[in-house]
Amino acid sequence: MGNFLFIYITHLPTSVAATMAAETSVCQEIPSIIMLFLLCLSSTAVEPRSSLSRGSHLSVEDASDVLTSQDNTFTCGFYNVKGANAYWFAIWYTHSMEKTTVWMANREKPVNDRGSRLTLRRDGAMVLTDVDGSTAWQTNPTSTEVDSADLLNSGNLVLRDRNGKILWQSFDYPTDTLLPNQTFTNSKQLTTGIGKYMFGSGYFSLFFDENNVLTLTYRGPEISSIYWPSPDCSTIFECGRTNYNSSRVAVLDDMGKFVSSDGLQFGASDMGVGIKGLLKMDFDGNLTLYSLNVSTGLWVVTWEALIKLCNVHGLCGRNGVCEYTPSPRCSCPPHFEPTDSTDWGKGCKPKFERTCKDSHFVELTHVDYYGFDINYTQAISLQQCRQLCLGDCRCQAFSYRLDGKGWCYTKSSLFNGYKSPAFLGNLYLRLPKEIQTTEPTNLNASGHVCSINMINTTEILPSYHTNNQRSTFVFLYSFALAIGAFEIPILVLGWWLLFRKQGVPDLVEDGYRTISSQFRNFSYAELKGATRKFKEVLGSGGFGVVYKGTLEDARVVAVKRLGDEVIQGEEGFWAEVSTIGKINHMNLVRMWGFCWEAKHRLLVYKFLENGSLDKHLFSTSFLGWKDRFRVAYGTARGLAYLHHECLEWVIHCDIKPENILLDNKYEPKISDFGLAKLSQRGVTGSQVSRIRGTKGYMAPEWAMNLPITAKVDVYSYGVVILELVKGIRLSDWAVNDSGEPESELNRFVSLARGRFRKGEKSWVDEIVDPRLRGNFSRNQAASIIEVGISCVEEDRNKRPTMESVAQVLLACEDETAICAPENK
Ligand SMILES: *[C@@H]1O[C@H](CO)[C@@H](O)[C@H](O)[C@H]1NC(C)=O
Ligand SMILES: *[C@@H]1O[C@H](CO)[C@@H](O)[C@H](O)[C@H]1NC(C)=O
Ligand SMILES: *[C@@H]1O[C@H](CO)[C@@H](O)[C@H](O)[C@H]1NC(C)=O
Ligand SMILES: *[C@@H]1O[C@H](CO)[C@@H](O)[C@H](O)[C@H]1NC(C)=O
Ligand SMILES: *[C@@H]1O[C@H](CO)[C@@H](O)[C@H](O)[C@H]1NC(C)=O
Ligand SMILES: *[C@@H]1O[C@H](CO)[C@@H](O)[C@H](O)[C@H]1NC(C)=O
Ligand SMILES: *[C@@H]1O[C@H](CO)[C@@H](O)[C@H](O)[C@H]1NC(C)=O
């Protein structure tokens, strides 16, 4: 078959092209020009048909020989990438600017531009044959009942009998795309292509795993690893998934909502009737939901599974490390070099011989490799961890966590490497003694500071964005072009040459330009209508007044009208808002869009039924214990996500009960995150502009002129959870015994500490909100109090991270568990 795959790099003057296009038939008569199939593509005047009857065929030479669904949404026929002699039998969206394929019959085995045919044979089989008559693909099983092949309006190609009964359908054999109404079941999977225009099966797949959970998995030549849902969320509760429903079925409906039996649910940000969407496994391992903008023919991203690409496993291969600089890139650790500099998927190889004796270690800060732990041990020192590694010849490196718990992981292989300033730990790479490590490492970075920098930009911007001079980064995606999965590598080379010459990528790129956000730009009139001229006020916060509204598609929203201090430039506003719009977590309020028109600046959020936490805590109605615990835990998770996991390491800067909203199940959702960044910064010299938080919840460093880090949120969170326990505002001031003003918080903390030290058994009962009348879990309460007190430490270094807070509370989810952290 290799013999038939030639490359024709065509390059004709446009005048010739125009003449040729005018008369399609010429194409068939001049064999030497047949290869200029490019030209034939544009001329179609034949009546479109949606059905192929038994015994007839489609041929590759005639570009108008296609099936088109009755409503003209989908077309099915021979597809190729301009300039290459390789054709796939595929279904694509008729109206997208670039042909966007949604299904492919012969993804692994393209056919020639001459003589290839798709035939609905008399025996009922649909067969794709190459020019030499070999079968590239065929439907199975065959049935003489088959009467016709039809392309339905849903994009489903079906073989039907006379009565319209479906005997075979393309929906049962998805490639990398799921269409609306196409059910995704146990037996199906979506598998990425190798690269943008390379359609063979790549390494990343979406499928239901044996635990009934829909997962994204990397299955490479050396390893296999699940990367979504995040392997860090060990419990079902944490991921919002369940493994109890074994029906293993998921579907994207034609409103743009995706529902899976494992509890996963999401919706396109432009959800509504008649949107043309598709859920696609992108070749970089990202699962993305797109909607077609019918007027421009461009695809808009309306949801994506991963915000951080470095969380995709396998991207940088063995020993490689993924990091943001600021786009994701692969690099090699010191004394390693790329195995294949054109293909980072092949990873890095050591420039030294690995030996067991006489080793020493080089430190890579904030680097970790996921998986392949020989052993993990808690509560040991760095020295002991080092000894563990030295004592085991399999150990190539060890990871040591700097969260004060002394976790030590020894590694037998190094895969899925990433560097993130949010990762609190270092990796120690084992090297033979002879190797000098005076050479600075190319993975050196300074600690992370948040992106919310209304104080002093130079002070806060992480410097790691710039100090990569020594490194030999190659843009991550280049690997896509280099994997030679076709029979003739030259084919690939040919494309590349052609692309370079004709600038095709730019053109094709256009078809895929995304507005890189999951949400919409609303018009002012639309929001005015939705809120009935801003009639119903829900509340007003630091950034403006919030109104209730109902969109045309019946979604209830909260519309926030921003005050004057918002960033003035449209560019900056758009950038900030689209970053916020990308952030998606069950404990963060979802932003659905915004409006920027004349002087109007509005943000559109999902409306939450139960309002803010303060209304349920400090008033006559009050939350029961279970809900309070859920609020404490959920808020911790939301913050941990903002601080550690999301794209930009957002610091909230104004955590308080008013900014914690509750949905109908009392699940907490943090609101107003990211807004600190939207407000105008740089009122130079003005101290006041620093003060963003709310008195009583503000960490001491705000007043002390120290750089603001994520620990300010930890402090505010501490105050909130202590309030949850006590049921009163601790942010208020009171007068103490000696007649001096003292904050309720200080009083509470010293009371709790005192009682605890005395070892009084009933200390918890005396502290917890008396309105609960003793109906609460002692263990959970004790744990929250201890966490809360550690969060409000004056010294921010003594405060825990939100990630570890979430872990401690998770351990307490079971009310009977003894989970309180050990006391100092
Ligand atoms: C999806 O299914 C529903 C209900 O069966 C139908 O009304 C709708 O037209 C279908 N949508 C598409 C795009 O086929
Ligand atoms: C399992 O999931 C399916 C599909 O989402 C749903 O219809 C069914 O009710 C679920 N079963 C249980 C027991 O929750
Ligand atoms: C489609 O794109 C155009 C131009 O960018 C824009 O004006 C229009 O609002 C978009 N339509 C939808 C439905 O997003
Ligand atoms: C996921 O893929 C889409 C489309 O290629 C892209 O817009 C988005 O930025 C990707 N996400 C990440 C984390 O790379
Ligand atoms: C892990 O290390 C400990 C010593 O710290 C040892 O007792 C244990 O057997 C090791 N476990 C494994 C699986 O090697
Ligand atoms: C990182 O760089 C700083 C100065 O730029 C240097 O002091 C430090 O030793 C370096 N760390 C490592 C691990 O090379
Ligand atoms: C910001 O911080 C840098 C370094 O600490 C300092 O040199 C600069 O003057 C500061 N800028 C302002 C506006 O305070």
Side-chain angles (χ1 to χ4, degrees), residues 39-163:
L39 311 172
C40 308
L41 289 177
S42 49
S43 61
T44 54
V46 181
E47 187 68 16
R49 53 177 175 162
S50 68
S51 184
L52 188 69
S53 56
R54 190 146 69 127
S56 52
H57 69 267
L58 300 176
S59 61
V60 70
E61 284 94 354
D62 183 357
S64 63
D65 204 4
V66 294
L67 301 182
T68 303
S69 66
Q70 256 153 18
D71 66 359
N72 199 20
T73 302
F74 293 95
T75 302
C76 161
F78 284 92
Y79 169 90
N80 89 321
V81 177
K82 284 183 185 165
N85 175 17
Y87 278 75
W88 289 268
F89 183 67
I91 300 173
W92 60 86
Y93 262 105
T94 313
H95 297 298
S96 58
M97 194 156 127
E98 184 200 357
K99 276 186 190 174
T100 307
T101 59
V102 297
W103 178 78
M104 225 168 232
N106 54 324
R107 68 187 298 183
E108 317 287 351
K109 222 176 164 192
V111 294
N112 259 273
D113 66 348
R114 294 171 63 189
S116 301
R117 283 178 169 212
L118 180 93
T119 313
L120 184 58
R121 281 199 321 226
R122 298 232 165 255
D123 68 0
M126 193 155 57
V127 183
L128 178 65
T129 47
D130 208 335
V131 60
D132 60 351
S134 66
T135 302
W137 172 84
Q138 81 172 89
T139 58
N140 241 346
T142 59
S143 160
T144 46
E145 308 280 289
V146 170
D147 181 54
S148 64
D150 303 271
L151 182 60
L152 307 184
N153 288 342
S154 56
N156 195 4
L157 179 67
V158 298
L159 296 187
R160 294 202 273 209
D161 67 12
R162 251 171 221 297
N163 305 320

Side-chain angles (χ1 to χ4, degrees), residues 455-460 684-685:
I455 314 148
N456 179 343
T457 328
T458 42
E459 208 170 72
I460 283 211
T684 34

